[in-house]
Amino acid sequence: MGTNKYNIWFCSDLHVHHRNILKFQKNRRETIGITDDMSETEMMYKHNEYIINMWNMTVKKEDHVYILGDVSFGSTEETRKILERLRGHKHLIVGNHDKSCKGLENYFESVSQIKEFP
């Protein structure tokens, strides 16, 4: 009898669509390749695409990912578009900046304020 093998991942603070995150975290800007001559729209696009690409290079469709809050600062629609592109079974432990995830519960396997693991 075969077993389903999958990885379990944990991450936090994706901060997609967070315009100010790039002002606060210079290392993030450098890692992504964002420069001061880019428009705010270009910076956000590059930031969000970097997160999506890094996620999908790591997470397989059968993997489970526990997101420990602060997924997105975008609108519900902007956040939905990101979640649709991220692989794996997503579980959200709600953070203080996850207001844009309301109404998107069907994009997560589970949504909770706290999670206990046996």
Side-chain angles (χ1 to χ4, degrees):
M1 185 175 200
T3 60
N4 292 334
K5 294 200 176 200
Y6 58 87
N7 290 312
I8 298 174
W9 300 98
F10 295 87
C11 70
S12 68
D13 301 291
L14 296 174
H15 288 274
V16 296
H17 293 292
H18 185 187
R19 300 195 186 298
N20 286 329
I21 196 72
L22 299 173
K23 292 177 188 172
F24 302 139
Q25 295 187 353
K26 186 176 180 183
N27 289 344
R28 189 181 284 225
R29 289 172 58 105
E30 291 171 0
T31 299
I32 297 169
I34 291 173
T35 59
D36 290 334
D37 62 338
M38 292 179 169
S39 71
E40 189 175 279
T41 301
E42 287 175 295
M43 288 182 193
M44 281 289 46
Y45 175 80
K46 194 161 185 162
H47 177 253
N48 293 341
E49 288 300 308
Y50 178 82
I51 290 169
I52 293 165
N53 291 332
M54 292 301 293
W55 178 296
N56 288 336
M57 284 176 26
T58 305
V59 176
K60 307 293 182 258
K61 70 178 186 173
E62 64 274 5
D63 290 349
H64 286 259
V65 181
Y66 289 86
I67 306 167
L68 310 178
D70 296 352
V71 174
S72 176
F73 277 57
S75 68
T76 299
E77 182 62 19
E78 289 170 325
T79 302
R80 179 192 63 77
K81 288 178 182 178
I82 298 289
L83 292 172
E84 287 177 341
R85 294 179 59 197
L86 298 176
R87 290 185 187 156
H89 302 277
K90 295 170 281 301
H91 303 266
L92 176 63
I93 291 91
V94 179
N96 62 321
H97 294 130
D98 287 322
K99 294 171 186 67
S100 62
C101 291
K102 288 185 179 168
L104 297 175
E105 292 83 2
N106 59 324
Y107 289 90
F108 299 98
E109 295 284 321
S110 65
V111 177
S112 61
Q113 295 293 321
I114 191 168
K115 188 78 171 175
E116 286 188 28
F117 293 92

